[in-house]
Amino acid sequence: MIVKQMTDLIGNTPLLEINQAVHGLRNINLYAKLELFSPFGSVKDKTAWSMLRHDLDQIKQKSQTVIESSSGNTAKAIQMICSMHDIPFKIVTNRVRVREVKQILQLLGTEIEELPGKSQCLDPTDPNDPLFIVEKIMSSEPGKYFHTSQYTNERNTEAHFEMTGAEIAKDLGSVDYFIGGLGTTGSTRGTGEFLKRTNQSLKNIGIVSSKNGFIPGIRNSDEMHEVGLFDRNFYDEIIEVTVDESLDAMLRLVRSCGVLSGPTGGASFAGALRFLRSIDAELTESRNAVFLVCDRTEWYLSYIQKYRPQLFGLTRKAESVRTLSDAELAGAPELGLEQAEHWLASDPKPLVVDLRGSLAFKGSHIKHSINIPAETLEEMSETGLPFSADQKVLFVCPVGDQSRKFAAFFKARGIDCLSLAGGFVAWRDAGKPTQRPSARKTGGLATVK
Amino acid sequence: MSATKSEDRQITATAEAKRGLQPTAVSSVRETLTLTPAVHPIIQEFLAAGELLDELTAALGSPLNILFPQIAGSNVDGFHDKLDKLSLRGRVYFAHKANRSDSITRQLSFEHCYIDVSSTNELRHALGSGFNARRIQATGPKNTAFLTLALQHGIVISIDSNWELRELLSLKKSLQTEQKVPLLLRVSGFRSAHSQYRSKASRFGIPLAEIAQTFALLEPAEDDIHLLGFSFHLDTTSIPEKGQAIENCLELFERAISLGFDPTVLNIGGGFKTNYLASEQDWHRYTTAIRDAALGARPPLTWQSNTFGLLPDKGALRGSFNSYSYYDPLTGPGFLEELLAHQLPDQGDTTAGAMLRDNGIELWIEPGRSLLDQCGITVGRVNSVRNSSQGDLLVCLNMKRQDICFLDQEIFVDPIVIYKDQPDTENPPSAVYFAGNLCLESDLIYRHQTFLPAVPQPGDLVVFANTAGYFMDFSASQAIMQPTAAKIAVYKQNNRFAWSLDDQYQPRRFSRQENS
């Protein structure tokens, strides 16, 4: 298959029949509309393409910048299209809450303007509303920006009427239940409206997140009020899904169906199952249901890790500085300041290992020492012994607590080592010799301390 | 699963009331949108006992501010627990501005606590309340009188501008004080390549763009000053934004070290937030109702249909709900812990806490509101109960809006009504407005409706919980010669409650057990 433009690949996403053993419904055939197959990775490719395709020449001709308030997928898709046409793109948002989503946008070169967090001392004159800020930016330089305005743009809905809805109807004929997450509501509205033409008794089900949870890409019931395209009457039912339910369902899609769905696809699957199970038992004939899988798993790894750290099994090595027992720690070899100073002059000369951060080390340190920050030495110690058996070592940290752990750990492994009691702070405060940066780099008048 | 089901129904019902549908007529089931306050067990016990409260209000009048100084001590410990957990060295400074009470300040001088003062009188008050100079820090913009007193006592001064630094250096020369002045530099205007926040302008601190001038002023003054480190306070609840400020400050440490200074302190200010409500569900239901009302999908539940910053626009809502988040699951020590666990992109994703610990940097914090969480209540007496011209039920209190509202911010937390006679719960009111005692249309204690189990009667007491942090008397005035509240301290020791006038309070040691 040869294509000329990546945008030619937008549309015609496949429809996967979910195995009955997975969904357990008796009378309903459940299909997943795999928008994750779209070239830029999400259902928003259709939205972005539809909002921009007619105006690309104009935008380019007028040297405009495209501006949008988006948290992720729309921004990604718009940026890809803009990049292909050498058009600058800027987003204003207070909703980039997933690290990878922001990183992808940075990789693509999007100009991201983030709104500040909520104030402690509220200022009623400060609207802190992305749409308001977008308008302010636009009116400060009239004509410079092209606002795609996904929350009010009817082309958002049209895209899914013409593509998503028509595609499903072509593949499946009549659909009885259509389920999708609510963000701008463009995809559920457009798709639902088309499918309603082929089956008047179609039920449209919208999925929102619970008010105390955050599911990327879909809103909670209150936030729906801010969406211009939203029309409550269009939906036969609105179902609220928790973060836990979405992630459970997402994992089933990933592990049982081979669908690398993101959390929003999981939310739709969870909502679909909840709704369909409640009616399945009373059905006497076969029905078709379709839910949307909006995007892919990989964008959301940090989000998933936050809610399900156990999935990533970050187990520590059994033997590590962190897992020292209290008994082992109690036996940590320590030296007071005077003794330590004396020991440092002994033969062979002990190595001073400064466990502090590089910034503190740069500020001042004990003479002839080497800086290996605690975290780094801990990693090194998990793979082996970094000191020769005939090398004496003095561990130094800020106040002598961490150095005790390392001294205990390495002593138990045969290294002749000690911890400096009271740490560098005690050493410095007692006026023991330290090495400081030799001279000021700027302001030549100043003298060396 | 069944619990989730019933929640669904509720959400669906709310959603049903949205756009396109007529506001539903008042249903046969009475709607109660409560905002139940979170109340400390000691205060619950005090209110339940009743008798002492009756005597106190009879003797001292309405409004009455009651402080519970012993609770502040446990709050200080809460912050230290988090620092200890991370092996971080640090200090907790009470942001004095949150409450000018004697009893609180005196009690905190007995605790593992320092104090941050922002005016000459706050400094005098801190010294007189038992804080010695080593435990005091001067912050905020300072005039000459404040700087002079601070210099005389040798307290830590957080420099707020280059003007202030010049003034300080020249004052030090003329006063001929011997001790080096311990300084922090408060900075503002943070930037980074990885995030562009449309941050709000700040009136405080030295803009980072001017920091070169600051160093140029400090270098020749090496014998007069001791640069302890840097400080900031950002008016935001966003952890990444504060993380960016920490990153910027770490760069300043590096710069200062290169210049031969030896900074060891980072002061990250306050803003750790406080939770006021017992139930998350309460907060969501009430705020949803305000949004529904703003769209016209339900009858208003606010005075003059105030929408608190939300604007209906062609069936959608614009703007944002201008209110403190009275329900907040991540506050005080918990918020500090989360901030310290934040990864700093410019430092190879090391956490803020590890960065400070490993570099031997002391962390200073300045909690105000969260340090006074649950440390006080405000009590008002009902003067009369009447109807407004629109037929709304008004419960008029012998106090005014400024007696509890901080800079006119609305408080969405139900007061506790103490009914002196058996309340008539058979005929509950649909909702009431609490009004004040000024002859001003705007003097409503609350501009939103409160749903009560029974109509209060004249003489009943109305208790506003958790007012010690900023609410109590921050904005109180004596307009139309109405009195401001008397202030007293109540404490529980040896299993009984005792009280004193706020200015007669003697600090004492409380066991942790007594504080819970």
Side-chain angles (χ1 to χ4, degrees), chain A residues 384-426:
Chain A
L385 277 182
F387 304 110
S388 155
D390 57 2
Q391 176 65 61
K392 296 194 284 183
V393 183
L394 179 71
F395 290 109
V396 180
C397 74
V399 290
D401 50 351
Q402 288 167 290
S403 53
R404 284 187 69 212
K405 294 182 192 168
F406 283 95
F409 182 82
F410 286 111
K411 186 82 182 177
R413 281 149 191 83
I415 305 293
D416 184 7
C417 60
L418 292 161
S419 159
L420 177 66
F424 184 78
V425 169

Side-chain angles (χ1 to χ4, degrees), chain A residues 2 65 120 167 264 305 329 357 367 388 391:
Chain A
I2 293 172
T65 296
Q120 280 280 292
E167 289 161 23
T264 317
Q305 190 175 336
L329 198 53
K367 287 186 174 185
S388 155
Q391 176 65 61

Side-chain angles (χ1 to χ4, degrees), chain B residues 165-463:
Chain B
L165 181 56
R166 280 190 208 98
E167 177 77 5
L168 177 85
L169 292 172
S170 87
L171 262 177
K172 171 138 179 41
K173 284 234 159 19
S174 65
L175 291 169
Q176 298 189 323
T177 54
E178 280 175 22
Q179 204 189 345
K180 281 190 176 190
V181 190
L183 283 192
L184 289 172
L185 298 177
R186 175 164 172 181
V187 288
S188 62
F190 304 106
R191 301 267 179 281
S192 63
H194 60 73
S195 302
Q196 276 84 48
Y197 297 108
R198 204 180 170 85
S199 289
K200 280 185 297 229
S202 173
R203 331 168 15 213
F204 304 114
I206 302 166
L208 279 183
E210 291 177 19
I211 200 73
Q213 285 175 45
T214 317
F215 283 126
L217 286 168
L218 288 177
E219 286 196 62
E222 210 172 14
D223 295 334
D224 293 330
I225 59 109
H226 175 202
L227 179 62
L228 293 176
F230 299 90
S231 93
F232 66 84
H233 173 79
L234 277 187
D235 180 21
T236 177
T237 56
S238 151
I239 284 178
E241 243 180 302
K242 290 197 174 188
Q244 183 189 49
I246 294 175
E247 278 180 342
N248 278 202
C249 285
L250 288 170
E251 286 164 31
L252 289 176
F253 269 82
E254 192 136 15
R255 197 157 156 188
I257 288 167
S258 313
L259 292 171
F261 297 102
D262 188 17
T264 54
V265 173
L266 177 64
N267 179 343
I268 61 169
F272 298 98
K273 309 187 288 172
T274 297
N275 174 50
Y276 291 87
L277 295 176
S279 151
E280 176 171 10
Q281 199 65 24
D282 273 5
W283 176 243
H284 293 327
R285 284 174 59 214
Y286 205 102
T287 51
T288 295
I290 286 181
R291 287 183 167 86
D292 285 344
L295 282 171
R298 56 151 291 148
L301 68 168
T302 55
W303 188 251
Q304 313 273 38
S305 307
N306 192 332
T307 57
F308 296 98
L310 296 166
L311 295 171
D313 176 21
K314 298 182 215 92
L317 281 181
R318 310 279 304 255
S320 55
F321 179 51
N322 265 323
S323 160
Y324 192 87
S325 289
Y326 288 96
Y327 179 82
D328 195 323
L330 189 66
T331 59
F335 182 83
L336 174 65
E337 187 172 37
E338 189 90 355
L339 174 60
L340 292 174
H342 177 70
Q343 294 176 313
L344 306 177
D346 282 350
Q347 299 290 348
D349 276 351
T350 310
T351 63
M355 201 60 207
L356 297 177
R357 183 191 58 219
D358 295 346
N359 286 295
I361 298 174
E362 253 188 72
L363 177 70
W364 293 6
I365 58 172
E366 298 167 349
R369 197 192 280 264
S370 55
L371 202 76
L372 297 187
D373 185 22
Q374 294 292 346
C375 293
I377 58 176
T378 297
V379 187
R381 188 183 287 112
V382 177
N383 278 344
S384 64
V385 180
R386 43 179 294 184
N387 285 321
S388 76
S389 61
Q390 307 293 314
D392 289 315
L393 195 58
L394 296 172
V395 176
C396 304
L397 303 185
N398 201 46
M399 62 187 280
K400 53 196 141 12
R401 183 171 171 86
Q402 292 105 307
D403 285 321
I404 55 161
C405 287
F406 168 61
L407 302 175
D408 208 38
Q409 283 174 19
E410 186 75 359
I411 301 177
F412 288 97
V413 182
D414 287 354
I416 301 159
V417 179
I418 301 182
Y419 300 92
K420 73 180 163 12
D421 300 322
Q422 187 64 35
D424 176 14
T425 48
E426 295 294 300
N427 300 298
S430 61
V432 307
Y433 285 102
F434 285 102
N437 59 3
L438 298 186
C439 40
L440 278 181
E441 288 289 7
S442 61
D443 186 33
L444 272 92
I445 309 280
Y446 282 178
R447 296 191 180 126
H448 66 275
Q449 290 179 340
T450 303
F451 295 76
L452 294 175
V455 181
Q457 299 302 314
D460 286 348
L461 297 180
V462 175
V463 179

